[in-house]
Amino acid sequence: MTRDAVTTVIKALLSEKDFLNDLDEKIGDGDHGLNMARGATAAADALEELEDDDPKKILQAVGNAVIMNVGGSAGSLYGAGLLAAAEVLDENSAPDAPTLEKVFGAIVDEIQQRGQATQGDKTMLDVLIPIHETFKAENCAGKNFETLLTEARDAARDGLEITKTLIATKGRAAALKKKSVGFEDPGAASALIIFRALCGYWKDSFRA
Ligand code: ADP
Ligand code: MG
């Protein structure tokens, strides 16, 4: 995870602030865009202070900035996920399928352990779990990284689409019970925005 990749995600989250707030307005308290934008700004400040380009240190700095500056359930879950992802990286880590399998595995495990949610609960995990599945070794045979990125992005988009059909059982939206059906989950939407930005960055960097 390079500095430029993180910067691409920061920009995407800042530009989707109103969209994410609107989604959260429908089944939550309308602050998810604001929370993610606050996290993005804190991450940008942390990156500026960090001189090192070690991917592990970058993810640690960003994770800590998110935990310290973002309220709401998503902030602590994303922050803890980033710190867990940092643990599987070292200074030589490069974006490839085995690395992303480890990174998304660590993120999913950490978020599941903290939030006690799983696939089907209408949360960010409905996007993060399908991304992780795509990079598992049994799915990767014979496919190049670019193809896998496209597959993972499509799986993430389908995961978000499925959240529309689900009843929320975790977080604020759970209070709405059946009335939560028909709306996308805001955390699943932010997870797709983040992953789409990363895919765009990685694909561009291969072509450069
Ligand atoms: P809050 O709900 O505290 O206002 P946000 O609006 O920033 O926080 O984030 C809401 C998102 O957090 C939800 O859309 C959902 O994806 C995610 N979320 C909430 N609770 C959980 C949980 N227990 N496990 C995983 N994700 C969760
Ligand atoms: Mg909210």
Side-chain angles (χ1 to χ4, degrees):
M1 175 79 64
T2 66
R3 196 173 273 274
D4 292 346
V6 177
T7 302
T8 307
V9 170
I10 290 170
K11 279 193 199 137
L13 288 172
L14 291 175
S15 71
E16 301 287 359
K17 178 176 149 194
D18 293 342
F19 169 71
L20 292 172
N21 275 341
D22 289 348
L23 286 183
D24 198 29
E25 196 66 61
K26 297 194 178 103
I27 58 166
D29 56 354
D31 66 351
H32 188 57
L34 186 67
N35 288 335
M36 297 306 286
R38 202 170 274 154
T41 306
D45 292 346
L47 271 188
E48 209 166 297
E49 275 173 36
L50 186 77
E51 280 170 17
D52 217 302
D53 276 332
D54 173 354
K56 185 189 194 82
K57 291 198 182 137
I58 289 176
L59 280 202
Q60 277 169 339
V62 170
N64 283 322
V66 168
I67 288 171
M68 284 190 294
N69 293 283
V70 186
S73 29
S76 53
L77 293 171
Y78 272 126
L82 285 162
L83 293 185
E87 288 307 304
V88 304
L89 295 179
D90 60 44
E91 72 264 32
N92 298 316
S93 296
D96 56 23
T99 302
L100 293 195
E101 195 280 319
K102 279 193 277 177
V103 163
F104 281 95
I107 292 173
V108 164
D109 284 352
E110 183 68 26
I111 291 178
Q112 283 197 305
Q113 206 180 318
R114 285 183 181 256
Q116 296 295 305
T118 190
Q119 201 164 9
D121 285 335
K122 197 179 178 98
T123 71
M124 52 177 72
L125 288 166
D126 289 311
V127 163
L128 295 171
I129 290 174
I131 294 172
H132 178 224
E133 295 290 327
T134 307
F135 293 111
K136 286 187 172 171
E138 62 264 32
N139 183 53
C140 291
K143 297 175 192 164
N144 69 27
F145 187 47
E146 204 166 341
T147 304
L148 287 168
L149 285 179
T150 304
E151 261 187 36
R153 196 201 52 207
D154 290 349
R157 205 183 42 212
D158 293 348
L160 173 61
E161 194 62 27
I162 288 167
T163 64
K164 268 196 214 165
T165 68
L166 298 170
I167 298 174
T169 56
K170 290 288 184 299
R172 241 175 250 282
L176 293 178
K177 303 198 173 96
K178 279 189 189 155
K179 286 189 183 146
S180 64
V181 174
F183 303 102
E184 289 175 348
D185 175 65
S190 61
L192 176 62
I193 288 165
I194 292 168
F195 190 66
R196 225 174 29 202
L198 287 172
C199 287
Y201 173 79
W202 286 323
K203 286 188 181 191
D204 285 349
S205 59
F206 299 138
R207 292 193 188 114

